[in-house]
Amino acid sequence: MSRTSYDRYLTVFSPEGRLYQVEYAFKAISGSGHTAISVRGKDTSVVITQKKVPDKLLDASSVTHLSSITPTIGCVVTGLIADAKAQIFRAQQEAADWRYKYGYEITPDALARRLANINQVYTQRAGMRPLGISMILIGIDPEYGPQCFKLDPAGYFVGFHATAAGQKQQEAMNHLEKKWKKLDNGRGVDDAAAAAKKLSRAEVIEIAIEAMSTVHATDYKSGEIEIGIVSTADEEDAKVKGMWRVMDEAEVEQHLLAYAEKD
């Protein structure tokens, strides 16, 4: 087998120990043209992504990268949207099975682990291909509070205080790291978890919007981004406290104005 043909087989390692098809799946994410950012604080997890409507005749309300998985867990997906739909459907199935078996809602870390295990199998067996998507899950854990997990096509998942995925992932991560270092009077660099626990709902949303605006050097309008949130903060309406929801345009506009005024 020639060296150039190692990328034709999903299950065959190259002599350098690489799985090219899995690497190509990562390129599908960065080449999607979208960026997603997630931040979590003491009582809030938030995800933000661009909303691009490719055609004027499309119904803009039907174009979204945000999705609900359980009443308290939601996600943002970056990459191939058809692959995303398949993984979201599988996640909803897994969450429903868990509730049926055990009588309570699945926690964000258990769901992330299960989906990562499924993704890993797709890199190991012929007959299926890795999904060309990166999923960021957010939710409230009854014991640990707000959670944020990122999954990749290789089957790796890990928890974050703040993370990004997609086209400008590295620039966004660099921005978030710099932001984190300044938190808690410069102590964020020593103890990221302690710094995150002091972030209010408004601060979490502001950091996410700031990161998105900075990496794209764009002042977004309310129809150009979408924000998903899970929060137990007092500012949340009692009916939706602790529940996943997508902000409407009026609420997004409020937060964009608050950020613009502070800037």
Side-chain angles (χ1 to χ4, degrees):
M1 193 188 292
S2 72
R3 265 165 198 253
T4 53
S5 60
Y6 281 103
D7 67 349
R8 295 177 195 278
Y9 299 91
L10 173 63
T11 55
V12 178
F13 282 100
S14 77
E16 295 85 38
R18 294 164 70 175
L19 289 169
Y20 285 106
Q21 286 295 320
V22 178
E23 289 180 24
Y24 297 161
F26 281 90
K27 285 192 178 157
I29 299 164
S30 55
S32 66
H34 279 81
T35 308
I37 290 167
S38 179
V39 183
R40 70 181 172 110
K42 70 175 176 194
D43 52 20
T44 305
S45 280
V46 74
V47 287
I48 180 169
T49 188
Q50 294 146 292
K51 182 165 183 165
K52 293 180 179 175
V53 182
D55 192 330
K56 284 192 168 63
L57 294 178
L58 277 177
D59 176 6
S61 65
S62 67
V63 177
T64 181
H65 283 76
L66 303 179
S67 186
S68 167
I69 294 172
T70 75
T72 58
I73 300 173
C75 69
V76 61
V77 192
T78 316
L80 305 177
I81 199 71
D83 283 12
K85 298 273 185 201
Q87 182 151 59
I88 288 163
F89 182 68
R90 182 64 188 266
Q92 289 167 341
Q93 272 187 315
E94 293 294 336
D97 287 349
W98 178 286
R99 184 173 168 81
Y100 180 74
K101 264 187 204 165
Y102 303 114
Y104 66 95
E105 292 291 356
I106 194 168
T107 56
D109 69 303
L111 182 60
R113 182 176 290 107
R114 178 70 185 131
L115 291 175
N117 286 345
I118 293 164
N119 282 358
Q120 193 279 328
V121 169
Y122 286 0
T123 70
Q124 196 177 345
R125 294 193 185 153
M128 26 182 149
R129 64 168 174 80
L131 299 172
I133 54 166
S134 178
M135 178 185 272
I136 300 174
L137 284 171
I138 63 166
I140 300 284
D141 188 289
E143 193 174 344
Y144 300 110
Q147 299 286 290
C148 165
F149 291 95
K150 183 161 78 172
L151 298 94
D152 68 27
Y156 179 69
F157 86 100
V158 72
F160 284 93
H161 298 299
T163 189
Q167 187 183 26
K168 297 235 175 178
Q169 176 179 333
Q170 199 51 56
E171 292 94 322
M173 289 296 280
N174 292 344
H175 173 85
L176 290 165
E177 279 171 25
K178 279 181 196 162
K179 189 80 184 166
W180 228 255
K181 283 176 186 173
K182 293 176 189 168
L183 292 179
D184 199 12
N185 298 323
R187 288 195 290 271
V189 67
D190 301 318
D191 193 344
K197 284 197 167 69
K198 293 182 180 172
L199 288 174
S200 68
R201 175 180 179 273
E203 286 169 328
V204 166
I205 296 166
E206 187 196 313
I207 289 170
I209 290 171
E210 184 187 333
M212 185 65 87
S213 296
T214 306
V215 297
H216 288 285
T218 307
D219 291 327
Y220 282 103
K221 298 187 182 77
S222 57
E224 295 170 344
I225 57 169
E226 43 185 0
I227 302 174
I229 186 170
V230 184
S231 179
T232 54
D234 294 333
E235 301 99 298
E236 279 286 292
D237 189 328
K239 288 179 189 167
V240 292
K241 195 179 267 195
M243 311 293 270
W244 159 266
R245 68 186 181 86
V246 178
M247 291 185 187
D248 58 32
E249 278 196 24
E251 193 177 354
V252 171
E253 184 64 39
Q254 276 180 1
H255 290 294
L256 288 171
L257 279 172
Y259 165 65
E261 283 166 14
K262 197 164 185 182
D263 209 29

